[in-house]
Amino acid sequence: FSAIGSVSFSCALNADEISVASSGAIMGLFGAKMSEFLMLMNFRTKKTMSDEYYTKQIILMLIVSVFVCIFTLFPFVSWAGHFGGFFCGFTIGMLLFSRKIKSSGDRKLWIGSGLVLTALLLMTIVSMLVEANPREELGDVCNYYEEVHLEGYDCYCLF
């Protein structure tokens, strides 16, 4: 799901750019883990590790997330793909990790919030993709890359 969100956000928000957005799927794993950490901190749960372990994991995850976000400054790396993957992973993580919550009321609240956020996310993705208008010249990938790589680029497209 995070890969779909990553590519969708990348296509919708950066319609005039070509990017891979595969790292956005990895950001989805960070988003899912972040939802698990928020759940563990805010609800009484069936913890399998100590609080110190979870604190270290949060710090490590934040450091790696910042490091990955720095890569969005490079060409062909989509910040929108990273954001879309993270947010999709977060919403799905809310649903997947909710079984650890002890209180059934809190569990229902967390699952309901996850379902609402997932539905809103899907509606947002669909509406953004409908509104996206990429440039005409992006239809010819070989020509696009020849313009980007001015020196001796040979296109071997199979189209």
Side-chain angles (χ1 to χ4, degrees), residues 7 16 23 26 29 62 65 80 82 84 88 109 115 123 125 131 133 136:
V7 171
D16 291 335
S23 57
I26 303 300
L29 296 174
L62 290 174
S65 295
H82 285 140
C88 287
L109 174 68
L115 287 172
M123 289 187 292
I125 288 172
E131 297 294 322
N133 293 316
E136 291 280 329

Side-chain angles (χ1 to χ4, degrees), residues 39-87:
M39 179 200 60
L40 291 171
M41 290 187 307
N42 293 312
F43 298 109
R44 287 186 21 226
T45 60
K46 303 167 191 165
K47 293 182 182 179
T48 56
M49 301 289 180
S50 68
D51 287 339
E52 181 182 338
Y53 171 80
Y54 289 119
T55 303
K56 288 179 182 178
Q57 289 294 310
I58 289 172
I59 292 169
L60 179 64
M61 187 188 64
L62 290 174
I63 290 170
V64 172
S65 295
V66 168
F67 184 70
V68 169
C69 288
I70 290 172
F71 279 115
T72 62
L73 302 174
F74 292 103
F76 307 114
V77 178
S78 173
W79 66 269
H82 285 140
F83 176 75
F86 183 87
F87 195 67

Side-chain angles (χ1 to χ4, degrees), residues 122-152:
L122 288 173
M123 289 187 292
T124 302
I125 288 172
V126 169
S127 67
M128 285 190 314
L129 288 174
V130 167
E131 297 294 322
N133 293 316
R135 297 186 317 237
E136 291 280 329
E137 59 266 13
L138 289 179
D140 183 5
V141 176
C142 284
N143 186 35
Y144 176 81
Y145 280 112
E146 285 172 359
E147 289 177 13
V148 173
H149 303 285
L150 300 175
E151 302 171 6

